[in-house]
Coordinates of all heavy atoms in Angstrom, one line a residue:
M1 N -17.6 -6.6 1.4 CA -16.2 -7.0 1.4 C -16.1 -8.3 2.3 O -16.7 -8.4 3.3 CB -15.3 -5.9 1.9 CG -13.8 -6.3 1.8 SD -12.8 -5.0 2.5 CE -13.0 -3.7 1.3
N2 N -15.3 -9.2 1.8 CA -15.0 -10.4 2.6 C -14.3 -10.1 3.9 O -13.2 -9.6 4.0 CB -14.1 -11.3 1.7 CG -13.8 -12.6 2.4 OD1 -13.8 -12.7 3.7 ND2 -13.5 -13.6 1.7
T3 N -15.0 -10.3 5.0 CA -14.5 -9.9 6.4 C -13.2 -10.7 6.7 O -12.4 -10.1 7.4 CB -15.5 -10.0 7.5 OG1 -16.3 -11.2 7.4 CG2 -16.5 -8.8 7.4
D4 N -13.2 -12.0 6.4 CA -12.0 -12.7 6.6 C -10.8 -12.1 5.9 O -9.7 -11.9 6.5 CB -12.1 -14.2 6.2 CG -13.0 -15.0 7.1 OD1 -13.3 -14.5 8.2 OD2 -13.5 -16.0 6.7
L5 N -10.9 -11.7 4.7 CA -9.9 -11.1 3.9 C -9.5 -9.8 4.5 O -8.3 -9.5 4.7 CB -10.3 -10.9 2.4 CG -9.4 -10.2 1.5 CD1 -8.1 -11.0 1.4 CD2 -10.0 -10.1 0.1
E6 N -10.5 -9.0 4.9 CA -10.3 -7.7 5.5 C -9.5 -7.8 6.9 O -8.5 -7.1 7.1 CB -11.6 -7.1 5.8 CG -11.5 -5.6 6.0 CD -12.9 -4.9 6.1 OE1 -13.8 -5.2 5.3 OE2 -13.1 -4.2 7.1
E7 N -9.9 -8.9 7.6 CA -9.2 -9.1 8.9 C -7.7 -9.5 8.6 O -6.8 -9.1 9.4 CB -9.9 -10.1 9.8 CG -11.1 -9.6 10.5 CD -10.9 -8.3 11.2 OE1 -9.9 -8.2 12.0 OE2 -11.6 -7.3 11.0
F8 N -7.5 -10.4 7.7 CA -6.2 -10.8 7.3 C -5.3 -9.6 6.9 O -4.2 -9.5 7.4 CB -6.2 -11.8 6.1 CG -4.9 -12.1 5.5 CD1 -4.0 -13.0 6.1 CD2 -4.5 -11.4 4.3 CE1 -2.8 -13.3 5.5 CE2 -3.2 -11.7 3.8 CZ -2.4 -12.6 4.4
I9 N -5.8 -8.7 6.1 CA -5.1 -7.5 5.7 C -4.8 -6.6 6.9 O -3.7 -6.1 7.0 CB -5.9 -6.7 4.6 CG1 -5.9 -7.6 3.3 CG2 -5.3 -5.4 4.4 CD1 -6.9 -7.1 2.2
K10 N -5.8 -6.4 7.7 CA -5.5 -5.6 9.0 C -4.4 -6.2 9.8 O -3.5 -5.5 10.3 CB -6.8 -5.4 9.7 CG -7.8 -4.6 9.1 CD -9.1 -4.5 10.0 CE -10.2 -3.7 9.3 NZ -11.4 -3.7 10.1
T11 N -4.5 -7.5 10.0 CA -3.5 -8.2 10.9 C -2.1 -8.1 10.2 O -1.1 -7.8 10.9 CB -3.9 -9.6 11.1 OG1 -5.2 -9.7 11.7 CG2 -2.9 -10.4 11.9
E12 N -2.0 -8.4 8.9 CA -0.7 -8.5 8.2 C -0.1 -7.1 7.9 O 1.0 -7.1 7.6 CB -0.8 -9.4 7.0 CG -1.1 -10.9 7.3 CD -0.1 -11.5 8.2 OE1 1.1 -11.2 8.1 OE2 -0.4 -12.4 9.0
S13 N -0.9 -6.1 8.0 CA -0.4 -4.7 7.8 C 0.3 -4.1 9.0 O 1.0 -3.1 8.9 CB -1.6 -3.8 7.3 OG -2.1 -4.2 6.1
K14 N 0.2 -4.8 10.1 CA 0.9 -4.4 11.3 C 2.4 -4.6 11.2 O 2.8 -5.4 10.4 CB 0.4 -5.1 12.6 CG -1.1 -4.7 12.9 CD -1.6 -5.5 14.1 CE -3.0 -5.1 14.4 NZ -3.8 -6.1 15.1
E15 N 3.2 -3.9 12.0 CA 4.6 -4.0 11.9 C 5.1 -5.5 12.0 O 4.7 -6.2 12.9 CB 5.2 -3.2 13.1 CG 6.7 -3.0 12.9 CD 7.3 -2.0 13.9 OE1 6.5 -1.0 14.3 OE2 8.5 -2.2 14.2
G16 N 5.9 -5.8 11.0 CA 6.4 -7.2 11.0 C 5.5 -8.2 10.2 O 5.9 -9.3 10.0
G17 N 4.3 -7.7 9.8 CA 3.4 -8.6 9.1 C 3.8 -8.7 7.6 O 4.7 -8.1 7.1
K18 N 3.1 -9.6 6.9 CA 3.3 -9.9 5.5 C 3.1 -8.7 4.6 O 3.6 -8.6 3.5 CB 2.5 -11.1 5.0 CG 2.9 -12.4 5.6 CD 2.0 -13.5 5.0 CE 2.5 -14.8 5.5 NZ 1.6 -15.4 6.5
L19 N 2.3 -7.8 5.1 CA 1.9 -6.6 4.3 C 2.5 -5.3 4.8 O 2.1 -4.2 4.5 CB 0.3 -6.4 4.2 CG -0.4 -7.6 3.6 CD1 -1.9 -7.4 3.7 CD2 0.0 -7.7 2.1
D20 N 3.6 -5.4 5.7 CA 4.3 -4.3 6.2 C 5.6 -4.3 5.4 O 6.5 -5.1 5.5 CB 4.6 -4.6 7.7 CG 5.6 -3.5 8.3 OD1 5.6 -2.4 7.7 OD2 6.3 -3.8 9.2
F21 N 5.7 -3.2 4.5 CA 6.9 -3.1 3.6 C 7.9 -2.1 4.1 O 8.8 -1.8 3.3 CB 6.4 -2.8 2.2 CG 5.5 -3.9 1.7 CD1 4.1 -3.8 1.7 CD2 6.1 -5.1 1.2 CE1 3.3 -4.8 1.2 CE2 5.3 -6.1 0.7 CZ 3.9 -6.0 0.7
K22 N 7.7 -1.5 5.3 CA 8.7 -0.5 5.8 C 10.1 -0.9 5.7 O 10.9 -0.3 5.2 CB 8.3 0.0 7.2 CG 7.3 1.2 7.1 CD 7.1 1.7 8.6 CE 5.7 2.1 8.7 NZ 4.8 1.2 9.3
N23 N 10.4 -2.1 6.3 CA 11.8 -2.6 6.3 C 12.3 -2.9 4.9 O 13.5 -2.7 4.7 CB 11.9 -3.8 7.2 CG 11.7 -3.5 8.7 OD1 12.0 -2.3 9.1 ND2 11.2 -4.4 9.5
T24 N 11.4 -3.4 4.1 CA 11.9 -3.7 2.7 C 12.3 -2.4 2.0 O 13.4 -2.4 1.3 CB 10.7 -4.3 1.9 OG1 10.2 -5.5 2.6 CG2 11.1 -4.7 0.5
V25 N 11.5 -1.4 2.1 CA 11.8 -0.1 1.4 C 13.0 0.6 2.0 O 13.8 1.2 1.3 CB 10.5 0.8 1.4 CG1 10.8 2.2 0.9 CG2 9.5 0.1 0.6
E26 N 13.2 0.5 3.4 CA 14.3 1.2 4.0 C 15.6 0.6 3.6 O 16.6 1.3 3.7 CB 14.2 1.1 5.6 CG 13.1 1.9 6.2 CD 13.2 3.4 5.8 OE1 14.4 3.9 5.8 OE2 12.3 4.1 5.4
K27 N 15.7 -0.5 3.0 CA 16.9 -1.1 2.5 C 17.5 -0.4 1.3 O 18.6 -0.5 1.0 CB 16.8 -2.6 2.3 CG 16.6 -3.4 3.5 CD 16.3 -4.8 3.3 CE 15.9 -5.6 4.6 NZ 15.3 -6.9 4.3
Y28 N 16.6 0.3 0.5 CA 17.0 1.0 -0.7 C 17.9 2.2 -0.3 O 17.6 2.9 0.7 CB 15.8 1.5 -1.5 CG 15.0 0.5 -2.2 CD1 13.9 -0.2 -1.6 CD2 15.3 0.1 -3.5 CE1 13.2 -1.2 -2.2 CE2 14.6 -0.9 -4.1 CZ 13.5 -1.5 -3.5 OH 12.8 -2.4 -4.2
D29 N 19.0 2.4 -1.1 CA 19.8 3.5 -0.9 C 19.1 4.8 -1.5 O 18.3 4.6 -2.4 CB 21.1 3.4 -1.6 CG 22.0 2.4 -0.8 OD1 21.8 2.3 0.4 OD2 22.9 1.8 -1.5
G30 N 19.3 5.9 -1.0 CA 18.8 7.1 -1.5 C 17.4 7.4 -1.0 O 16.8 6.7 -0.3
A31 N 17.0 8.7 -1.3 CA 15.7 9.1 -0.7 C 14.5 8.7 -1.6 O 13.4 8.7 -1.1 CB 15.8 10.7 -0.6
F32 N 14.7 8.4 -2.9 CA 13.7 8.1 -3.8 C 13.8 6.8 -4.5 O 14.9 6.3 -4.7 CB 13.5 9.2 -4.9 CG 13.2 10.6 -4.3 CD1 14.2 11.5 -4.0 CD2 11.9 10.9 -4.0 CE1 13.9 12.7 -3.5 CE2 11.6 12.2 -3.4 CZ 12.6 13.1 -3.2
I33 N 12.7 6.2 -4.9 CA 12.6 5.0 -5.6 C 11.9 5.2 -6.9 O 10.8 5.7 -6.9 CB 12.0 3.9 -4.8 CG1 12.7 3.6 -3.5 CG2 11.8 2.5 -5.6 CD1 11.9 2.9 -2.5
A34 N 12.5 4.8 -8.0 CA 11.9 5.0 -9.4 C 11.1 3.8 -9.7 O 11.6 2.7 -9.5 CB 13.0 5.2 -10.4
F35 N 9.9 4.0 -10.1 CA 9.0 2.9 -10.4 C 8.1 3.3 -11.6 O 7.4 4.4 -11.4 CB 8.2 2.4 -9.2 CG 7.2 1.3 -9.6 CD1 7.7 0.0 -9.6 CD2 5.8 1.5 -9.8 CE1 6.8 -1.1 -10.0 CE2 5.0 0.4 -10.1 CZ 5.5 -0.8 -10.2
D36 N 8.2 2.7 -12.7 CA 7.3 3.0 -13.8 C 7.4 4.5 -14.2 O 6.5 5.2 -14.4 CB 5.9 2.6 -13.5 CG 5.0 2.4 -14.8 OD1 5.7 2.1 -15.8 OD2 3.8 2.6 -14.7
K37 N 8.7 5.0 -14.3 CA 9.1 6.3 -14.7 C 8.6 7.4 -13.7 O 8.5 8.6 -14.1 CB 8.6 6.6 -16.1 CG 9.1 5.6 -17.1 CD 8.6 5.9 -18.5 CE 9.2 4.9 -19.5 NZ 8.5 4.9 -20.7
V38 N 8.3 7.0 -12.5 CA 7.9 8.0 -11.5 C 8.8 7.8 -10.3 O 9.1 6.7 -9.9 CB 6.4 7.9 -11.1 CG1 6.0 8.8 -10.0 CG2 5.5 8.0 -12.3
L39 N 9.2 8.9 -9.6 CA 10.0 8.9 -8.4 C 9.0 8.9 -7.2 O 8.2 9.8 -7.1 CB 11.0 10.0 -8.3 CG 12.2 9.9 -9.2 CD1 13.1 11.2 -9.0 CD2 13.1 8.7 -8.9
Y40 N 9.3 8.0 -6.3 CA 8.5 8.0 -5.0 C 9.4 8.1 -3.9 O 10.5 7.5 -3.9 CB 7.7 6.6 -4.9 CG 6.6 6.4 -6.0 CD1 7.0 5.8 -7.1 CD2 5.4 6.9 -5.8 CE1 6.0 5.6 -8.2 CE2 4.4 6.7 -6.7 CZ 4.7 6.0 -7.9 OH 3.8 5.8 -8.9
N41 N 9.0 8.9 -2.8 CA 9.7 8.8 -1.6 C 9.4 7.4 -1.0 O 8.6 6.7 -1.3 CB 9.5 10.0 -0.7 CG 8.1 10.0 0.0 OD1 7.5 9.0 0.1 ND2 7.6 11.2 0.2
K42 N 10.2 7.1 0.1 CA 10.1 5.7 0.7 C 8.7 5.5 1.3 O 8.2 4.4 1.1 CB 11.2 5.5 1.6 CG 12.6 5.3 1.0 CD 13.7 5.1 2.0 CE 15.0 4.9 1.3 NZ 16.1 4.7 2.2
K43 N 8.2 6.5 1.9 CA 6.8 6.3 2.6 C 5.8 6.1 1.5 O 5.0 5.2 1.6 CB 6.5 7.6 3.4 CG 5.1 7.6 3.9 CD 4.8 8.8 4.7 CE 4.9 10.1 3.8 NZ 3.9 10.3 2.8
D44 N 5.8 6.8 0.4 CA 4.8 6.6 -0.6 C 5.0 5.3 -1.4 O 4.1 4.6 -1.7 CB 4.9 7.8 -1.7 CG 4.4 9.1 -1.1 OD1 3.9 9.1 0.1 OD2 4.6 10.1 -1.7
F45 N 6.3 4.9 -1.6 CA 6.6 3.6 -2.2 C 6.1 2.5 -1.4 O 5.6 1.4 -1.9 CB 8.0 3.4 -2.6 CG 8.3 2.3 -3.5 CD1 7.8 2.5 -4.9 CD2 8.9 1.1 -3.2 CE1 8.1 1.4 -5.8 CE2 9.1 0.1 -4.0 CZ 8.7 0.2 -5.4
T46 N 6.2 2.6 0.0 CA 5.7 1.6 0.9 C 4.1 1.4 0.6 O 3.6 0.3 0.6 CB 5.9 1.9 2.3 OG1 7.3 2.0 2.5 CG2 5.4 0.9 3.3
I47 N 3.4 2.6 0.5 CA 2.0 2.5 0.2 C 1.7 1.9 -1.2 O 0.7 1.1 -1.3 CB 1.4 4.0 0.3 CG1 1.5 4.4 1.8 CG2 0.0 4.0 -0.2 CD1 1.2 5.9 2.0
L48 N 2.5 2.2 -2.1 CA 2.4 1.6 -3.4 C 2.5 0.0 -3.3 O 1.6 -0.7 -3.9 CB 3.4 2.1 -4.4 CG 3.3 1.7 -5.9 CD1 3.9 2.8 -6.8 CD2 4.1 0.4 -6.1
M49 N 3.5 -0.4 -2.6 CA 3.7 -1.9 -2.5 C 2.5 -2.5 -1.7 O 2.1 -3.6 -2.0 CB 5.1 -2.1 -1.7 CG 6.2 -1.8 -2.6 SD 7.8 -2.1 -1.7 CE 7.8 -3.9 -1.5
W50 N 2.0 -1.8 -0.7 CA 0.9 -2.3 0.1 C -0.3 -2.4 -0.8 O -1.0 -3.4 -0.9 CB 0.6 -1.4 1.3 CG -0.5 -1.8 2.2 CD1 -0.4 -2.7 3.2 CD2 -1.9 -1.5 2.0 NE1 -1.6 -2.9 3.8 CE2 -2.6 -2.2 3.1 CE3 -2.6 -0.8 1.2 CZ2 -3.9 -2.1 3.3 CZ3 -4.0 -0.7 1.4 CH2 -4.7 -1.3 2.4
G51 N -0.5 -1.4 -1.7 CA -1.7 -1.4 -2.6 C -1.6 -2.6 -3.6 O -2.6 -3.3 -3.9
A52 N -0.4 -2.9 -4.1 CA -0.2 -4.0 -5.0 C -0.4 -5.3 -4.3 O -1.1 -6.2 -4.9 CB 1.2 -3.9 -5.6
A53 N 0.0 -5.4 -3.1 CA -0.2 -6.7 -2.3 C -1.6 -6.9 -2.0 O -2.1 -8.0 -2.0 CB 0.7 -6.6 -1.1
V54 N -2.3 -5.8 -1.6 CA -3.7 -6.0 -1.3 C -4.5 -6.3 -2.5 O -5.4 -7.2 -2.5 CB -4.3 -4.6 -0.7 CG1 -5.8 -4.5 -0.7 CG2 -3.7 -4.4 0.7
N55 N -4.2 -5.8 -3.7 CA -4.8 -6.2 -5.0 C -4.6 -7.7 -5.2 O -5.5 -8.4 -5.6 CB -4.2 -5.3 -6.1 CG -4.7 -5.8 -7.5 OD1 -4.6 -6.9 -7.9 ND2 -5.2 -4.8 -8.2
Q56 N -3.3 -8.2 -5.0 CA -3.0 -9.5 -5.2 C -3.8 -10.4 -4.2 O -4.2 -11.6 -4.6 CB -1.5 -9.8 -5.0 CG -0.9 -10.5 -6.1 CD 0.6 -10.6 -5.9 OE1 1.2 -10.2 -4.9 NE2 1.3 -11.1 -6.9
T57 N -4.1 -9.9 -3.0 CA -4.8 -10.7 -2.0 C -6.3 -10.8 -2.4 O -7.0 -11.7 -1.9 CB -4.6 -9.9 -0.6 OG1 -3.2 -9.8 -0.4 CG2 -5.2 -10.7 0.5
G58 N -6.8 -9.8 -3.2 CA -8.2 -10.0 -3.6 C -9.0 -8.7 -3.6 O -10.1 -8.7 -4.0
I59 N -8.4 -7.6 -3.1 CA -9.1 -6.3 -3.1 C -8.7 -5.6 -4.3 O -7.6 -5.0 -4.4 CB -8.9 -5.5 -1.8 CG1 -9.5 -6.3 -0.6 CG2 -9.6 -4.2 -1.9 CD1 -9.5 -5.7 0.7
K60 N -9.5 -5.5 -5.3 CA -9.2 -4.9 -6.6 C -9.7 -3.4 -6.7 O -9.4 -2.7 -7.6 CB -9.8 -5.7 -7.8 CG -9.6 -7.2 -7.7 CD -8.2 -7.5 -8.1 CE -8.0 -9.1 -8.1 NZ -6.6 -9.4 -7.9
D61 N -10.6 -3.1 -5.8 CA -11.3 -1.8 -5.8 C -10.4 -0.8 -5.1 O -10.1 -0.9 -3.9 CB -12.6 -1.9 -5.3 CG -13.4 -0.6 -5.3 OD1 -13.7 -0.2 -6.5 OD2 -13.6 0.1 -4.3
F62 N -10.0 0.3 -5.8 CA -9.2 1.4 -5.2 C -9.8 2.0 -4.0 O -9.2 2.2 -2.9 CB -8.8 2.4 -6.3 CG -8.2 3.7 -5.7 CD1 -7.0 3.7 -5.2 CD2 -9.0 4.9 -5.6 CE1 -6.4 4.8 -4.6 CE2 -8.4 6.0 -5.1 CZ -7.1 6.0 -4.5
E63 N -11.1 2.3 -4.1 CA -11.8 3.0 -2.9 C -11.8 2.1 -1.7 O -11.6 2.6 -0.6 CB -13.2 3.4 -3.3 CG -13.3 4.7 -4.2 CD -13.0 4.4 -5.7 OE1 -13.1 3.2 -6.1 OE2 -12.7 5.4 -6.4
K64 N -12.1 0.8 -1.9 CA -12.1 -0.2 -0.8 C -10.6 -0.2 -0.2 O -10.5 -0.2 1.1 CB -12.5 -1.6 -1.2 CG -14.0 -1.7 -1.4 CD -14.3 -3.1 -1.8 CE -15.8 -3.2 -2.1 NZ -16.2 -4.5 -2.5
A65 N -9.6 -0.3 -1.0 CA -8.2 -0.3 -0.5 C -7.9 1.0 0.3 O -7.3 1.0 1.3 CB -7.3 -0.5 -1.7
Q66 N -8.4 2.1 -0.3 CA -8.2 3.4 0.4 C -8.8 3.4 1.8 O -8.2 3.8 2.8 CB -8.7 4.6 -0.5 CG -8.6 5.9 0.2 CD -9.2 7.0 -0.5 OE1 -9.7 6.8 -1.7 NE2 -9.4 8.2 0.1
L67 N -10.0 3.1 1.9 CA -10.8 3.0 3.2 C -10.1 2.1 4.2 O -9.9 2.4 5.3 CB -12.2 2.6 2.9 CG -13.1 3.7 2.2 CD1 -14.5 3.1 1.9 CD2 -13.3 5.0 3.0
L68 N -9.7 0.9 3.7 CA -9.0 0.0 4.5 C -7.7 0.6 5.1 O -7.3 0.5 6.3 CB -8.8 -1.3 3.8 CG -8.4 -2.6 4.5 CD1 -9.4 -2.8 5.7 CD2 -8.4 -3.8 3.6
W69 N -6.9 1.1 4.2 CA -5.6 1.7 4.6 C -5.8 2.8 5.6 O -5.1 2.8 6.6 CB -4.8 2.3 3.4 CG -3.4 2.7 3.7 CD1 -2.3 2.0 3.4 CD2 -3.0 3.9 4.3 NE1 -1.2 2.6 3.9 CE2 -1.6 3.8 4.4 CE3 -3.7 5.1 4.8 CZ2 -0.8 4.9 5.0 CZ3 -2.9 6.1 5.3 CH2 -1.5 6.0 5.4
E70 N -6.8 3.6 5.3 CA -7.1 4.7 6.3 C -7.6 4.2 7.6 O -7.2 4.8 8.7 CB -8.0 5.7 5.7 CG -7.4 6.6 4.6 CD -8.3 7.4 3.8 OE1 -9.6 7.3 4.0 OE2 -7.8 8.3 3.0
E71 N -8.3 3.2 7.6 CA -8.8 2.5 8.9 C -7.6 2.0 9.7 O -7.5 2.2 10.9 CB -9.8 1.5 8.6 CG -10.4 0.8 9.9 CD -11.4 -0.3 9.5 OE1 -11.9 -0.4 8.4 OE2 -11.6 -1.1 10.5
I72 N -6.7 1.3 9.0 CA -5.6 0.6 9.6 C -4.6 1.7 10.2 O -4.1 1.5 11.3 CB -4.8 -0.3 8.6 CG1 -5.7 -1.5 8.2 CG2 -3.4 -0.7 9.1 CD1 -5.2 -2.2 7.0
N73 N -4.4 2.8 9.5 CA -3.4 3.8 9.8 C -4.0 5.0 10.6 O -3.2 5.9 10.9 CB -2.7 4.2 8.6 CG -1.8 3.1 8.1 OD1 -0.7 2.8 8.5 ND2 -2.3 2.4 7.0
H74 N -5.3 5.0 10.8 CA -6.0 6.0 11.6 C -5.7 7.4 11.1 O -5.6 8.4 11.8 CB -5.6 5.9 13.1 CG -5.8 4.6 13.6 ND1 -7.0 4.0 13.8 CD2 -4.8 3.7 14.0 CE1 -6.8 2.8 14.3 NE2 -5.4 2.5 14.4
R75 N -5.7 7.6 9.7 CA -5.5 8.9 9.2 C -5.9 8.8 7.7 O -5.9 7.8 7.1 CB -4.1 9.5 9.3 CG -3.0 8.8 8.5 CD -1.7 9.5 8.7 NE -0.6 8.8 7.9 CZ -0.4 9.0 6.6 NH1 -1.1 9.9 6.0 NH2 0.6 8.5 6.1
K76 N -6.2 10.0 7.1 CA -6.4 10.1 5.7 C -5.1 10.1 4.9 O -4.1 10.5 5.4 CB -7.2 11.5 5.4 CG -8.5 11.5 6.0 CD -9.5 10.8 5.2 CE -10.9 11.0 5.7 NZ -11.9 9.9 5.3
L77 N -5.2 9.6 3.7 CA -4.0 9.6 2.8 C -3.9 11.0 2.2 O -4.9 11.7 1.9 CB -4.3 8.6 1.6 CG -4.1 7.1 2.0 CD1 -4.9 6.3 1.0 CD2 -2.6 6.7 2.0
T78 N -2.6 11.4 2.0 CA -2.4 12.7 1.4 C -2.5 12.5 -0.1 O -2.6 11.4 -0.6 CB -1.0 13.2 1.7 OG1 0.0 12.3 1.1 CG2 -0.7 13.4 3.2
E79 N -2.5 13.6 -0.9 CA -2.6 13.5 -2.4 C -1.5 12.6 -3.0 O -1.8 11.7 -3.8 CB -2.6 14.8 -3.0 CG -3.3 14.9 -4.4 CD -4.7 14.3 -4.5 OE1 -5.5 14.7 -3.6 OE2 -5.0 13.7 -5.4
P80 N -0.2 12.8 -2.6 CA 0.8 11.9 -3.2 C 0.6 10.4 -2.8 O 0.8 9.5 -3.5 CB 2.1 12.5 -2.7 CG 1.8 13.9 -2.3 CD 0.4 13.9 -1.9
E81 N 0.2 10.2 -1.5 CA -0.1 8.9 -1.0 C -1.2 8.2 -1.8 O -1.2 7.0 -2.1 CB -0.3 8.9 0.5 CG 0.9 9.3 1.3 CD 0.5 9.5 2.8 OE1 -0.7 9.8 3.1 OE2 1.4 9.5 3.6
L82 N -2.3 9.0 -2.1 CA -3.4 8.5 -2.8 C -2.9 8.0 -4.3 O -3.3 7.0 -4.7 CB -4.5 9.6 -3.0 CG -5.5 9.7 -1.8 CD1 -6.3 11.0 -2.0 CD2 -6.3 8.5 -1.7
K83 N -2.1 8.8 -4.8 CA -1.6 8.5 -6.2 C -0.7 7.2 -6.1 O -0.8 6.3 -7.0 CB -0.7 9.6 -6.8 CG -1.6 10.8 -7.2 CD -0.7 11.9 -7.7 CE -1.6 13.1 -8.1 NZ -0.8 14.3 -8.4
A84 N 0.1 7.1 -5.1 CA 0.9 5.9 -4.9 C 0.0 4.7 -4.7 O 0.3 3.6 -5.2 CB 1.9 6.1 -3.7
L85 N -1.0 4.8 -3.8 CA -1.9 3.7 -3.6 C -2.6 3.3 -4.8 O -2.7 2.1 -5.2 CB -3.0 4.1 -2.5 CG -4.0 2.9 -2.2 CD1 -3.3 1.7 -1.6 CD2 -5.0 3.5 -1.2
K86 N -3.1 4.2 -5.6 CA -3.8 4.0 -6.9 C -2.9 3.2 -7.8 O -3.3 2.2 -8.5 CB -4.3 5.3 -7.5 CG -5.2 5.0 -8.7 CD -6.0 6.2 -9.0 CE -6.9 6.1 -10.2 NZ -7.8 5.0 -10.2
K87 N -1.7 3.7 -7.9 CA -0.7 3.0 -8.8 C -0.5 1.6 -8.3 O -0.4 0.6 -9.1 CB 0.6 3.8 -8.8 CG 1.7 3.2 -9.7 CD 1.2 3.3 -11.2 CE 2.3 2.8 -12.1 NZ 1.8 2.9 -13.5
G88 N -0.3 1.4 -7.0 CA -0.1 0.1 -6.5 C -1.3 -0.9 -6.7 O -1.1 -2.0 -7.1
V89 N -2.5 -0.4 -6.5 CA -3.7 -1.2 -6.7 C -3.8 -1.6 -8.2 O -4.2 -2.7 -8.6 CB -5.0 -0.5 -6.2 CG1 -6.2 -1.2 -6.7 CG2 -5.0 -0.4 -4.7
E90 N -3.3 -0.7 -9.1 CA -3.4 -1.0 -10.5 C -2.3 -1.9 -11.1 O -2.3 -2.4 -12.2 CB -3.4 0.3 -11.3 CG -4.7 1.1 -11.1 CD -4.6 2.5 -11.7 OE1 -3.5 2.9 -12.1 OE2 -5.6 3.2 -11.7
T91 N -1.2 -2.1 -10.3 CA 0.0 -2.8 -10.7 C -0.2 -4.3 -10.5 O -0.6 -4.7 -9.4 CB 1.2 -2.3 -9.9 OG1 1.4 -0.9 -10.2 CG2 2.5 -3.0 -10.2
K92 N 0.3 -5.0 -11.4 CA 0.3 -6.5 -11.3 C 1.7 -6.9 -10.9 O 2.7 -6.7 -11.7 CB -0.1 -7.1 -12.6 CG -1.4 -6.7 -13.1 CD -2.5 -7.6 -12.6 CE -3.9 -7.3 -13.2 NZ -4.6 -6.2 -12.6
L93 N 1.9 -7.4 -9.8 CA 3.2 -7.9 -9.4 C 3.4 -9.4 -9.7 O 2.4 -10.2 -9.6 CB 3.4 -7.7 -7.9 CG 3.4 -6.3 -7.3 CD1 3.7 -6.3 -5.8 CD2 4.5 -5.5 -8.0
Q94 N 4.6 -9.8 -10.0 CA 4.8 -11.3 -10.3 C 5.0 -12.0 -9.0 O 5.5 -11.5 -8.0 CB 6.1 -11.4 -11.1 CG 5.8 -11.5 -12.6 CD 6.0 -10.2 -13.3 OE1 6.9 -9.5 -13.0 NE2 5.1 -10.0 -14.3

């Protein structure tokens, strides 16, 4: 994996970074966000957005994205979070 790219993702995933979507998602009303006919809670949708952004940045491999997320957040992803991340990595954002 490109270490410069990895370092960029780690840095920008911190609070306030370009890959921190917590504040973006918190602006939505309601507890769930519908995306591609699936309802996500805000936490999982944040992970989906992160996955899509990481894909756009250059990490196309789901397993690499998962390992990177878990390293950044110091914990394993839950099953719903894994599904959200997979969807995000597979999603093409404009």
Side-chain angles (χ1 to χ4, degrees):
M1 185 182 293
N2 181 333
T3 45
D4 289 343
L5 178 58
E6 199 174 310
E7 285 309 311
F8 170 80
I9 291 169
K10 287 178 184 177
T11 301
E12 294 301 327
S13 294
K14 292 178 181 157
E15 196 169 325
K18 291 182 175 105
L19 300 175
D20 174 26
F21 297 103
K22 269 186 216 99
N23 290 333
T24 305
V25 171
E26 284 305 317
K27 292 175 186 164
Y28 285 92
D29 287 334
F32 296 97
I33 298 165
F35 179 78
D36 203 23
K37 300 179 185 168
V38 177
L39 285 178
Y40 295 91
N41 67 30
K42 290 180 180 181
K43 175 182 58 69
D44 292 351
F45 195 71
T46 299
I47 294 169
L48 185 150
M49 290 179 69
W50 184 88
V54 165
N55 175 305
Q56 231 175 5
T57 306
I59 295 184
K60 311 286 185 206
D61 182 69
F62 167 70
E63 284 80 19
K64 284 183 183 175
Q66 177 186 349
L67 290 171
L68 196 51
W69 190 96
E70 290 176 348
E71 183 182 339
I72 291 165
N73 292 281
H74 310 290
R75 69 175 181 86
K76 296 280 186 201
L77 287 155
T78 65
E79 200 57 42
E81 290 170 343
L82 278 169
K83 288 178 183 170
L85 178 61
K86 187 162 181 55
K87 183 68 176 176
V89 170
E90 294 170 351
T91 298
K92 302 273 187 275
L93 296 180
Q94 265 98 35

